[in-house]
Amino acid sequence: MARKAKSRWMILGLLGDGPRSGYDIKVEVEEAAGHFWKESFGSIYPVLDRLRAEGLVQVREEAAEGRKRRLYALTPRGRAALRRWLAEPVEPDVLRLELLLKLHVGGAAAPDVMIRHVEAYREQQQRYLKGLTAILGDMKKAEGPEPRGTYRRLTVLLGRRVARARIAWAGEALAALRRRAR
Amino acid sequence: MARKAKSRWMILGLLGDGPRSGYDIKVEVEEAAGHFWKESFGSIYPVLDRLRAEGLVQVREEAAEGRKRRLYALTPRGRAALRRWLAEPVEPDVLRLELLLKLHVGGAAAPDVMIRHVEAYREQQQRYLKGLTAILGDMKKAEGPEPRGTYRRLTVLLGRRVARARIAWAGEALAALRRRAR
DNA sequence: TTTGGCATGTAATCCGTTACATGATTAG
DNA sequence: CTAATCATGTAACGGATTACATGCCAAA
């Protein structure tokens, strides 16, 4: 049975905002959606080609003006497919949290090993939170068209809430672990 | 280059607590770690066999007393490998959050579609939170050996904090989206 | 001139899921 | 008796990553 295939929806979704090249998509995913998504060239180009074969996107060679670029644009069928997917229920994300795995089976290690992992986690989440806050600042300056702006701001706000919860947890966890270590 | 291969660590980690069968591992992942991990038989049995071939676990047929079961136990080399992995830095989890993807490209859909997604998300997180709280209750009754008990309780506490953050976000998001919809 | 960014692609690999296949035992 | 649970496995498939391969253009 057809499993996941989420790359195609990210790609189709971005094309919903206007024509883009494979390279554009890569950059845009990193910059605008990097806090909850990732795509590699190794999927982008083949997926783009498949979408074209299925008639969901069209290619246009952007000749001249510098290097050659292949711009992909949604066809009406592509837009319909996107809308259909958007209306489908969200599938629960596959969860595989490596830090929790290490904690779960951490009894086999020395206590300070787990303490260091949680410390690193807290720092990582603090950096992440900072990054999100910076993104939010940029968003305020460059107001985009609605409702897109609202949607994208909401994704960042969720990231921040979750990051703050994780940071708070890490503090609590470190206190508990240090108490035990003594 | 060898990618991920996280199943082996979950399996090796559980075996660190004592011998288990493939079936035991499946059940235990579901019941004790289901809020942050998942394993299918399709990986468990082949991985177990590979670990045996690598000399990290040993098999013992548990003959008689009901059905036959193949019990796997860590070898000294297996335990050493587990400890080495536990000491390695935690790799950041691959993040691919489908709800956020839909929101990110949701401009192509009608506003109420996104509202329904967020509502469903909130309900799902509320159920999830309830489940975690129940687990925590069970844990208090059945105190396990330390430090394992502390570690496992911490995994649940992180889940709860994050779930609460998501629920709070959903409320805020719904307010914003409904405001816009009018 | 050489480094770095722009730009497109292919090949190998592989982890993990789903589906299939089989059978024993136990509870209702 | 029969349905559910216990129990172990294999086969097919597929999505995605990593690494490789190639080349243009602009700036330092």
Side-chain angles (χ1 to χ4, degrees):
Chain A
M1 185 119 302
R3 216 164 45 283
K4 315 299 121 141
K6 302 205 195 177
S7 289
R8 62 186 296 127
W9 299 116
M10 172 52 103
I11 291 169
L12 222 50
L14 291 183
L15 293 181
D17 267 7
R20 281 153 170 74
S21 71
Y23 191 87
D24 290 340
I25 289 169
K26 176 74 161 93
V27 172
E28 193 171 350
V29 170
E30 254 161 37
E31 292 185 351
H35 59 103
F36 68 89
W37 207 266
K38 240 174 102 179
E39 290 293 346
S40 64
F41 285 126
S43 9
I44 292 172
Y45 288 115
V47 166
L48 238 19
D49 197 54
R50 258 206 94 171
L51 292 173
R52 188 196 46 74
E54 292 172 26
L56 303 182
V57 302
Q58 275 179 337
V59 206
R60 167 164 51 94
E61 293 278 340
E62 188 193 49
E65 65 139 301
R67 328 154 202 64
K68 62 172 155 39
R69 288 153 48 83
R70 313 193 79 214
L71 287 180
Y72 293 82
L74 282 195
T75 61
R77 287 188 49 216
R79 187 164 295 275
L82 173 59
R83 266 203 285 266
R84 240 178 291 126
W85 173 77
L86 278 170
E88 272 171 31
V90 177
E91 287 173 45
D93 299 307
V94 199
L95 22 76
R96 273 192 139 177
L97 308 179
E98 196 171 321
L99 173 68
L100 295 197
L101 170 55
K102 284 201 173 164
L103 275 173
H104 191 79
V105 303
D112 64 293
V113 170
M114 292 301 128
I115 289 177
R116 273 199 295 273
H117 285 323
V118 176
E119 282 169 346
Y121 185 68
R122 178 163 64 174
E123 283 155 27
Q124 181 216 303
Q125 291 297 318
Q126 276 161 345
R127 282 192 300 275
Y128 176 58
L129 177 59
K130 256 189 162 170
L132 290 177
T133 302
I135 290 174
L136 212 61
D138 294 348
M139 277 180 166
K140 269 195 190 110
K141 273 179 259 168
E143 286 284 345
E146 287 300 327
R148 217 196 59 180
T150 299
Y151 289 149
R152 301 206 172 165
R153 194 163 55 255
L154 285 178
T155 68
V156 180
L157 290 178
L158 176 56
R160 294 214 310 173
R161 289 225 190 226
V162 168
R164 288 205 190 99
R166 288 176 181 150
I167 291 166
W169 169 83
E172 166 190 46
L174 284 171
L177 293 177
R178 286 181 183 135
R179 214 182 306 126
R180 283 213 94 265
R182 275 187 277 104
Chain B
M1 185 118 303
R3 214 159 52 281
K4 315 299 122 142
K6 302 204 195 176
S7 289
R8 60 186 297 128
W9 299 116
M10 173 52 103
I11 292 168
L12 223 48
L14 291 184
L15 293 181
D17 267 6
R20 280 151 171 74
S21 71
Y23 190 86
D24 290 339
I25 289 169
K26 177 73 160 90
V27 172
E28 193 172 350
V29 170
E30 254 161 37
E31 293 185 350
H35 58 102
F36 67 89
W37 208 264
K38 240 174 102 177
E39 290 294 344
S40 63
F41 285 126
S43 9
I44 293 172
Y45 288 115
V47 165
L48 239 16
D49 197 54
R50 259 206 93 172
L51 292 174
R52 188 195 46 73
E54 292 173 25
L56 302 183
V57 302
Q58 275 179 335
V59 207
R60 169 165 50 94
E61 292 278 340
E62 188 194 50
E65 67 139 297
R67 329 154 201 64
K68 60 172 157 39
R69 288 153 47 82
R70 314 193 79 216
L71 287 180
Y72 293 82
L74 282 195
T75 62
R77 287 187 49 213
R79 188 164 294 275
L82 173 60
R83 265 202 286 265
R84 240 178 292 126
W85 173 76
L86 278 170
E88 272 171 32
V90 177
E91 287 174 45
D93 299 307
V94 198
L95 22 77
R96 273 192 137 178
L97 308 179
E98 196 171 321
L99 174 67
L100 295 197
L101 170 56
K102 285 202 172 161
L103 275 173
H104 191 80
V105 303
D112 63 293
V113 170
M114 292 301 129
I115 289 176
R116 274 200 294 274
H117 284 322
V118 176
E119 282 169 346
Y121 185 68
R122 178 162 64 174
E123 282 154 27
Q124 181 215 303
Q125 292 297 319
Q126 276 161 346
R127 282 192 300 275
Y128 176 58
L129 177 60
K130 255 189 162 169
L132 289 177
T133 303
I135 289 173
L136 212 61
D138 294 349
M139 277 180 166
K140 267 192 191 113
K141 274 179 258 168
E143 288 282 347
E146 286 301 325
R148 218 196 59 180
T150 299
Y151 289 150
R152 301 206 172 165
R153 193 164 55 253
L154 285 178
T155 68
V156 180
L157 291 178
L158 176 56
R160 294 214 309 173
R161 289 225 189 226
V162 169
R164 288 204 190 101
R166 289 176 181 151
I167 292 165
W169 169 82
E172 167 189 45
L174 285 171
L177 293 177
R178 285 181 183 136
R179 214 181 306 127
R180 284 213 92 267
R182 274 187 278 106

